[in-house]
Amino acid sequence: MPHLHMEYTANLPQLNADVALIRLNNTLVGSGQFAAESDIKSRAIKVETFKVGTAMGERAFVYIKLSLLSGRAPEVKKQLSQSLLAVLQDLCEWPAGVDVQLAVELVDMDRESYSKAVIGHTVVGQ
C-alpha cells in the first residue's frame, strides 16, 4: 500500500513516465506516511484514445489516482494530494498551444477487507 495509477494522454511526448513514477514515489516516501518504500506500487498508462471536452483545440491530461488504506486524516490526504500535484506541475516542459489538465485523486480502500502477501522477499543491500 499505496497504489498509484498515472494516466496520461499520448499527445505529451515529452512526459517521461519512468521519471514521473520515480519522482512521485519519492514524494510519497518523503511524506513519512508509509512504512517502507517497497510498499509503494505505481504504474503509468499512456492513453492513446481520449477526448477532453468538446472543443476542437488540442488538449491533454495527466491524472493520478492514489489508493490508500482508510483511516488517514483529511489534512494528511490533502497534503499528499497537493504534493503529488506539485510534482506533476514540474515534470516537464508542457507543450505550447496544448491545454493540459493535471489532477490528483485520493481514494480510500477499506482497511478491513484489504489483503496482501509478499512472495520472494529480498533484503536490499545483501
Side-chain angles (χ1 to χ4, degrees), residues 11-124:
N11 61 340
L12 297 172
Q14 61 281 49
L15 190 153
N16 182 321
D18 289 330
V19 169
L21 292 180
I22 214 54
R23 289 187 61 196
L24 292 162
N25 284 4
N26 282 331
T27 298
L28 292 174
V29 168
S31 74
Q33 289 295 310
F34 309 103
E37 55 80 27
S38 61
D39 287 340
I40 300 166
K41 278 91 50 201
S42 61
R43 72 279 279 154
I45 300 168
K46 182 189 294 187
V47 181
E48 296 289 340
T49 305
F50 63 93
K51 295 290 180 214
V52 179
T54 60
M56 296 304 291
E58 190 169 10
R59 296 175 175 170
F61 66 83
V62 182
Y63 166 73
I64 299 289
K65 179 173 80 172
L66 182 66
S67 299
L68 301 165
L69 289 177
S70 58
R72 287 184 175 77
E75 302 80 28
V76 170
K77 293 191 285 188
K78 182 172 182 146
Q79 191 279 327
L80 286 169
S81 176
Q82 290 175 339
S83 296
L84 294 173
L85 182 60
V87 170
L88 287 182
Q89 290 173 308
D90 194 39
L91 271 181
C92 62
E93 287 292 323
W94 299 105
V98 178
D99 290 335
V100 182
Q101 296 184 31
L102 308 175
V104 177
E105 175 186 18
L106 270 64
V107 177
D108 280 337
M109 296 173 53
D110 182 49
R111 187 175 292 272
E112 304 305 317
S113 64
Y114 182 77
S115 299
K116 174 183 170 179
V118 179
I119 300 171
H121 180 69
T122 57
V123 177
V124 175

